[in-house]
Structure formats: C-alpha cells, structure tokens
Amino acid sequence: MRLLIVEDEPDLRRSLAKAMREEGYAVDTADNGEDGLYKATSTDYDAMVLDGMLPRMDGWEVLKQLRRSKQTPVLMLTARDRSIDRVCGLDTGADDYVVKPFDLAELLARLRAIIRRGAKQSSARIEVGIVGIDTASRTIALAGETVALTAREYALVEYLVLHRGEVVTRTTLYEHLFDENDSSLSNLLDVHVSNVRKKLGHDFITTRRGHGYGIEA
Amino acid sequence: MKLTPHSLRWRLQIWYGLLLVIVLCAFGLTAHHLEKVERLRNVDNELQHRLAAVVSELRAGPQRQEQRAVSPPPRQPPPARLPDPGRPPGPNLAFAPEVTAQFGEGTKYYFVVWMQEAEPVARSANAPADVPRPDRLEAATRERKGQLREAFIFAAPVDCVLVGRFTADEEGAVVLNAVLLASAGGLLFLLGLLGGGWLIARAIRPIEDITGTAARIADGDLTQRIRETHDQSELGRLSTALNQTFSRLEDAFAQQQRFTADAAHELRTPLTVLLTLIQTTLARARSAEEYRDTLEACQRSAQRMRKLLEALLQLARLDAREEPLQRGLIDVADTAGECLDLLKPMALEQGVTLQKNVKPASIHGDPDRLAQVVTNLLINAIQHTPRGGTVTLEVRKEGSATIVRASDTGTGIAAKDLPHIFERFYRADEARAGTAGRTGLGLSIAQAIVEAHGGEISVESEAGKGATFVVRLP
C-alpha cells in the first residue's frame, strides 16, 4: 500500500511517515497544498493523510480539487474541532476526519479502515483458501499457523488479496509497493513474488505472462 | 408589579397617602376656621350696628318724644315752654319704626335695655325670657348656650343696652359646610391617591425593567441591554451607565473566551507533534541515537508551546491592563539602537545589512516593552529579507510625537493580508508557526504595547517591494 502524507509541520510529517513506513506502507510526502495536489492527482495512492492548514493551498481546497478526478481515500487531519468543521470536511469528500492531537494507534487504525473501504473490503480478516490475512495485525496465517513475512512481502500479499480476482500489472504493483524514493528495479518485484510463493504455496499467486500477477478469488 | 411590604412602591404610596391626608386635613380645617371667623365677624358687625342704633334712639331727646305725639307740623312755632323741672329727661323708649323693624320675630335679632333695676325697662318681643344682665366686668360680647350671641354696652342715658342674635341655624349651616368640605376632601384624597399611585407605578417601572435585564444577564445572556429611552432623567442616565457596564462585561468575557480558544487551538499542533513523535518512537525498540533525535524534537515542540503560552499570557495581561507599564523617561533612539545591535549576528547570518538612522527622542514609557516591540519588528524584517537586502531602523521626533520606522527590502506583504497583519495568529501564507520558532502573536503584542502607550502602529507594504512598519508614540 502506498500512502501520501501532506503535512507542513516538519517534525510531524517526518514522524508520521516513519511510523507508517514501519507499518509496511510505502510513503510519499508533501509539505504544501499545491505539491500535495499534484502528487495525489498524478499517482494512485491507496490512501492519503491530508492536513487542513497548509501553505499555498489549504487542505480543504486540495480535497475539493482532488475529488474532481480521484476517489483516493482521504483522511483529514486538522486542528479545527467544531462539529461544523467536521461536517464540512466529510461533505467535501473526506473519508474520515481526525482532530489533532490524536492517538497514533487510532490514526493508523482509521487509515487501515479507509484503505479497506477503498478496496471494498469490510472486514479486517480475509480468507483465501487456507491462507488467512489479518489486515489489522498485519499477519498472515497458513492453515492457522502464522507465517513470517517481511514488510514488503506482506504489502504485496495484502495488495493482491484486496484486489483478488483481478490481474494487477507490474506497474501498478510498483506504484503501490514502492515510494518515490525507491529506485525501481524490476527484479525486486519478482524476488518478492518468488519469496511469497515459497512461503505460502506456489499457486497462491498466479502469473499472467505479459499482464501481471493476481490471486484467484 | 408586586406590592410586597418591602417594595419601594408600597412605601412611596403610603408616605404619599399620609402626606395627602395631612395636607387635605390642614387645608380643610383652615378653610373651615376662616369661614367660621368670617361669619362671626359679620354677626358681630351687625350686632354693633344695631346696638348703636338702639343707643342713639334711647338718646333721642324730648323733641323726638313730642314729635311723636304731634302729627301735623306746627304753623307757628310752638310757644316756648319751660321744661318741666320735676321730670328729669329719661330715655326715649319710643323707637323709630325703622329701628324697631330691625328686631323682632323674623329678624333673629332682639334687644334688652336695663336701668338700675334688675328688670329690663324695654325689650323686643322676641327677646328670650331669661337674658342675664351683663356684668360690668364682662367682655363686650358673649355667647350663651351655644346659640345666642349678644353684644352689650353700658351707656347713658340707661345702664345697659344689649343686642342679641339667635345663631342656632347658623350653626347648622356651618356644620353642613364642614360635612361638605370633609366629603370633598375625602373624594380628593381618593383621586389623589389613585393618581399618585399611577404616577409612582410609571416611575418605578423602569426600575423593574433594569432589574429584569440585569437578572437575565446574570443568568448568562450577556447580549441583553436595557431599553434606552434617551431621556436625561436620573433613571435614563442610570440605564445608559448600566448598559455601558454590561457592554464592558460582554467584551471582557469575549476576550477571555477568545484567549482560551486561541490557546487551545494553537497548542494542538505542537502537542500533536510531541505525541506522534513519542508514540512512533515507542512503537518498537530504537537505537540510542534515534531516542536522542526524538527527545530533541520533543524539546523543540515543548519550547514552542512554552513560547506560545507566554505570548498569550502577555497579550491577555495587556488586554486586561493588568500589568501596569513601568514609566520612565527613556530615549527611544538609545533603546531601539540597542535592539538593532543585538540583532547584528542574526542579520549577518542571513546576509542582511542593517542600517541605523536615529536621532534623540525622549518619551515616558516602558523601556523593556518598547524594546520588545522594536526587536519584534526588526526580526520580522530580517527574516523576510533575502540575502543582500537591507533593514533600516529610523527614530526621530515629529512635532511632539516620536516616530520609529523599521523598513526592509524583503518580500513585502500582499494587499489581501495587509489589513489582517496585526490580528492574532494571522500568518500571511508563507510564514508558518514553528518553522522559524514564531508564535504568530508578535505583531499583536507589539500593537497592544504601542496602544498601551497611547500610540499607534501601522504598516506600508506591497508584495515584492519590502515593508515598512511605523510606530508613532505621543
């Protein structure tokens, strides 16, 4: 999963990005509204954390313009706590609204929820054959036994599972598993796929030559 | 409107009622008394008249007696006759008809004449039977049995002449008059009471209004005001003064609320940073270096909160005029010059040139606070000026006022931001709290301090063409 964090307060931005990378997300950042909008419209993020008060274009404006072209799940982060502000934010198109200061664990849980909703997945647990994925605890179990996966491997499985039944192109996978700072080496993806197959079964991920990868529904 | 025993209205009514009763009674009694006196005077006048008439008749001499006896006027003068020496001249008891007409049954007047004997020698027909002969030592008029008034005189040729009047029916008339007067008085009293009561109620009603409004304000609605009637009466002035007080109260409350809201709002961001930093770092085991970095970042946030809090408190105190300014004679040129000198290192770091153009200018003011203002303006100027630019400080006297100007060749202020620049927490787009350790309150505090000195602060600027802040102190 790839996220965009748009927050101008540097310590906060860095902290959030770090926390999310440690959760296994690929994270891009922006420190003002214009850049944030540009990135959000040119890349398909799985979710976006958007601060309200930003230089150059405030968060509400960014959201409004983003919604003209994208349905990216957006979690608004703001110091404005009045009911009217929440209503405004949600009506403008935010998927969730969190008031500062917030509990980090809660923020991450809400992010997971809007990502699930974005992928039309209502529950945190998904079963694919004998493989069970728990998106809340970010663990995978094979016939009940937890399997150790790296963060990238987990991210790959989670993405494919949330889009199971579809063929996901390599480009898409790159977009959603690596952030802008990773240099794209096409090998890396294959290595991850291979590792996952070793751990969860060869047939878990199917290859469509020339198209991409997928998981059977 | 309630009439409780303690109410002003009740008390006013009672006192007014009492006063009215006293005044009406006094007036009534006086009128009654005057009328009585007048009546008596009239009666006594009449008695005296008739008394004089009787006496003069009694003194009419023998000529009169003879004139009574002889009818036709004599053609010849009657032969002179010598008076009968044997008969002394006595009183003429044959009164002229016009005199006797004044006494008698229909007239209420009677007379009695005594000689030396106890029995009267003459009396009118209607004289009461038992008129006591007056004593020489008595006063000249007297009243008997409450219904007879008599005047008498001791005069020759008799011993005593008395004229009297029946006053019984007079008394009746007087009593009737008194009753009428009392009734009229009673009616007037009632009317007066009602009228007075209405006037009092009208006068008291504004007080009820005021009380009601004050109660509603005490309950919590600070926007309430007393209806003003624009009259200059005592109550009108009271209403105006109270409304002004209520407005000040409302402002004070609003200020306090604003302070709390501002503080809460502005603290959110540094608190968020703090919390997120800590929670992220605690999420898993970290290296000592990472912990160190986190702690340093936490410190930055905490410092930011501290500065913010102090700035807000200073503003609050300036607002409430809680901190009286130290007043001393200071030379603004010196104070401002010092501030400029202290900022030389910062200017050097930013590659900005500082220029000083000051002339002595003394005022009464608070040196520390004014230094705060100058420093704030200069720091702003330096931070908004790119490398190679210039910041100029000017101090001079203009008439009786002192002018301090801080101008820079920096990025300037956009027209849309210009009117808001002194507002709390207003940040023209680019500048953001925390990025340069600024609270967003510097200019608000500067304005408050300048205004506490009775001065004013203003700004001239165009986007891209630098800015000039002007402080004018009286």
Side-chain angles (χ1 to χ4, degrees):
Chain A
M1 295 291 155
R2 189 169 175 187
L3 306 178
L4 175 64
I5 298 180
V6 189
E7 165 64 59
D8 65 321
E9 178 56 56
D11 282 332
L12 186 58
R13 185 180 63 244
R14 283 193 281 263
S15 216
L16 280 174
K18 177 168 167 173
M20 285 170 201
R21 282 185 189 123
E22 286 175 359
E23 287 287 305
Y25 295 106
V27 180
D28 291 351
T29 61
D31 66 1
N32 67 74
E34 269 176 18
D35 288 351
L37 180 62
Y38 176 73
K39 287 190 182 176
T41 45
S42 47
T43 315
D44 269 340
Y45 291 102
D46 294 290
M48 199 168 135
V49 174
L50 181 61
D51 183 37
M53 307 299 244
L54 296 165
R56 300 226 203 112
M57 190 192 291
D58 73 43
W60 279 268
E61 188 58 34
V62 170
L63 182 58
K64 207 160 71 166
Q65 295 199 21
L66 178 66
R67 282 291 174 251
R68 289 185 200 149
S69 54
K70 290 256 183 195
Q71 297 310 307
T72 316
V74 172
L75 186 146
M76 278 217 79
L77 204 61
T78 168
R80 292 201 200 164
D81 70 333
R82 296 176 309 165
S83 181
I84 190 172
D85 299 311
R86 293 176 200 251
V87 168
C88 182
L90 291 168
D91 278 348
T92 312
D95 293 89
D96 205 349
Y97 192 101
V98 171
V99 175
K100 299 182 193 176
F102 51 82
D103 192 48
L104 187 62
E106 185 184 332
L107 181 75
L108 295 173
R110 285 179 185 271
L111 257 180
R112 286 195 290 272
I114 63 174
I115 292 172
R116 268 202 319 269
R117 229 177 298 139
K120 299 183 186 44
Q121 181 75 34
S122 53
S123 135
R125 282 182 213 276
I126 312 163
E127 308 278 330
V128 179
I130 54 171
V131 178
I133 299 103
D134 186 341
T135 56
S137 60
R138 306 183 82 75
T139 53
I140 299 190
L142 182 64
E145 300 259 335
T146 313
V147 179
L149 292 173
T150 68
R152 278 277 154 77
E153 287 162 6
Y154 173 83
L156 171 65
V157 172
E158 187 189 55
Y159 194 85
L160 288 176
V161 164
L162 284 177
H163 294 90
R164 64 187 178 285
E166 301 163 30
V167 176
V168 183
T169 65
R170 295 166 68 87
T171 320
T172 310
L173 278 175
Y174 270 119
E175 281 215 339
H176 286 265
L177 298 182
F178 302 106
D179 63 44
E180 60 198 347
N181 300 319
D182 292 330
S183 44
S184 63
L185 301 166
S186 21
N187 278 359
L188 220 46
L189 191 57
D190 298 322
V191 168
H192 289 313
V193 171
S194 165
N195 285 341
V196 168
R197 278 175 168 154
K198 282 186 202 143
K199 296 179 185 180
L200 296 178
H202 193 270
D203 296 329
F204 188 61
I205 299 179
T206 54
T207 306
R208 286 283 198 87
R209 283 227 153 262
H211 292 281
Y213 298 103
I215 288 179
E216 300 293 320
Chain B
M1 217 177 310
K2 288 179 283 215
L3 273 189
T4 71
H6 300 293
S7 77
L8 191 63
R9 196 171 157 225
W10 184 240
R11 277 189 271 162
L12 274 176
Q13 288 252 217
I14 291 188
W15 283 108
Y16 170 69
L18 277 175
L19 199 67
L20 198 58
V21 161
I22 292 174
V23 165
L24 281 173
C25 282
F27 179 75
L29 284 171
T30 309
H32 180 72
H33 180 75
L34 283 175
E35 194 217 359
K36 219 169 150 185
V37 164
E38 185 66 15
R39 267 184 198 274
L40 216 53
R41 212 157 53 86
N42 281 344
V43 166
D44 284 350
N45 265 355
E46 283 293 312
L47 286 176
Q48 291 299 328
H49 265 165
R50 292 173 204 228
L51 199 57
V54 169
V55 169
S56 87
E57 282 299 303
L58 288 171
R59 290 191 180 150
Q63 301 93 307
R64 185 74 86 71
Q65 288 177 347
E66 295 223 341
Q67 273 183 344
R68 298 268 183 283
V70 179
S71 314
R75 281 212 205 131
Q76 300 165 19
R81 278 169 64 172
L82 287 169
D84 190 337
R87 203 160 137 235
N92 167 35
L93 291 178
F95 292 165
E98 58 268 21
V99 174
T100 45
Q102 293 180 20
F103 300 91
E105 219 39 67
T107 64
K108 303 188 205 146
Y109 288 94
Y110 56 87
F111 67 86
V112 182
V113 183
W114 287 272
M115 301 280 279
Q116 267 64 30
E117 299 79 24
E119 278 297 310
V121 298
R123 51 192 297 150
S124 62
N126 59 346
D130 55 349
V131 180
R133 186 188 170 123
D135 203 291
R136 279 192 183 253
L137 296 175
E138 277 180 65
T141 54
R142 69 183 183 195
E143 198 157 310
R144 283 198 310 117
K145 298 187 189 172
Q147 32 175 304
L148 302 168
R149 186 133 181 106
E150 297 167 344
F152 44 84
I153 192 169
F154 299 93
V158 298
D159 185 42
C160 178
V161 184
L162 177 144
V163 172
R165 191 186 198 277
F166 294 98
T167 56
D169 53 347
E170 288 283 321
E171 293 299 311
V174 167
V175 165
L176 181 65
N177 264 0
V179 166
L180 282 175
L181 207 57
S183 314
L187 191 64
L188 281 174
F189 173 67
L190 277 173
L191 285 174
L193 210 59
L194 283 170
W198 180 75
L199 276 177
I200 290 173
R202 261 199 74 187
I204 301 276
R205 198 186 319 124
I207 298 186
E208 294 279 325
D209 267 350
I210 292 174
T211 312
T213 306
R216 280 194 295 281
I217 290 179
D219 246 356
D221 184 0
L222 291 174
T223 57
Q224 292 279 321
R225 294 287 181 273
I226 302 162
R227 219 170 352 135
E228 299 213 19
T229 54
H230 300 288
D231 70 64
Q232 285 300 305
S233 73
E234 290 84 344
L235 282 175
R237 287 203 302 271
L238 176 66
S239 299
T240 308
L242 279 176
N243 274 346
Q244 283 171 349
T245 308
F246 296 148
S247 287
R248 272 222 62 203
L249 251 181
E250 198 183 357
D251 284 345
F253 264 63
Q255 260 174 16
Q256 203 184 44
Q257 277 189 323
R258 189 168 58 150
F259 172 80
T260 316
D262 284 346
H265 187 89
E266 285 299 312
L267 285 173
R268 282 181 194 282
T269 304
L271 263 176
T272 308
V273 175
L274 207 54
L275 199 57
T276 308
L277 274 170
I278 292 171
Q279 286 183 329
T280 308
T281 306
L282 289 176
R284 54 187 72 193
R286 306 273 177 200
S287 69
E289 171 125 10
E290 277 178 303
Y291 284 130
R292 176 173 214 85
D293 285 342
T294 301
L295 285 174
E296 278 171 1
C298 286
Q299 186 175 239
R300 281 198 291 274
S301 260
Q303 294 283 38
R304 226 175 98 192
M305 287 194 273
R306 187 178 61 81
K307 273 195 224 171
L308 184 68
L309 214 61
E310 284 181 5
L312 276 173
L313 277 173
Q314 186 178 23
L315 257 182
R317 286 195 206 112
L318 282 167
D319 270 349
R321 297 183 227 304
E322 234 175 74
E323 282 188 354
L325 301 175
Q326 310 276 22
R327 292 274 181 176
L329 197 63
I330 59 173
D331 185 350
V332 180
D334 279 347
T335 311
E338 268 172 31
C339 296
L340 190 74
D341 292 339
L342 282 170
L343 290 172
K344 278 193 183 138
M346 181 191 207
L348 201 63
E349 199 184 307
Q350 304 259 32
V352 170
T353 319
L354 292 178
Q355 270 183 12
K356 186 155 64 166
N357 184 356
V358 302
K359 298 190 190 58
S362 299
I363 60 158
H364 270 97
D366 186 325
D368 289 336
R369 301 274 161 73
L370 286 173
Q372 189 179 357
V373 172
V374 174
T375 306
N376 182 286
L377 293 178
L378 289 174
I379 292 180
N380 273 348
I382 294 171
Q383 285 180 340
H384 282 91
T385 306
R387 296 198 89 80
T390 313
V391 169
T392 311
L393 174 69
E394 218 182 295
V395 177
R396 66 171 197 279
K397 263 202 128 44
E398 208 173 79
S400 61
T402 303
I403 309 282
V404 178
R405 292 167 69 101
S407 46
D408 64 69
T409 58
T411 49
I413 302 166
K416 69 170 169 66
D417 295 323
L418 222 44
H420 303 291
I421 200 102
F422 292 104
E423 283 173 19
R424 294 167 192 231
F425 304 119
Y426 188 85
R427 295 174 189 106
D429 211 54
E430 304 292 338
R432 179 84 170 122
T435 51
R438 309 311 313 284
T439 55
L441 289 172
L443 285 175
S444 301
I445 294 180
Q447 185 180 47
I449 292 175
V450 168
E451 282 174 3
H453 279 83
E456 52 183 37
I457 184 168
S458 59
V459 60
E460 294 151 19
S461 177
E462 261 183 68
K465 295 194 186 156
T468 302
F469 282 82
V470 183
V471 174
R472 189 187 195 85
L473 295 164

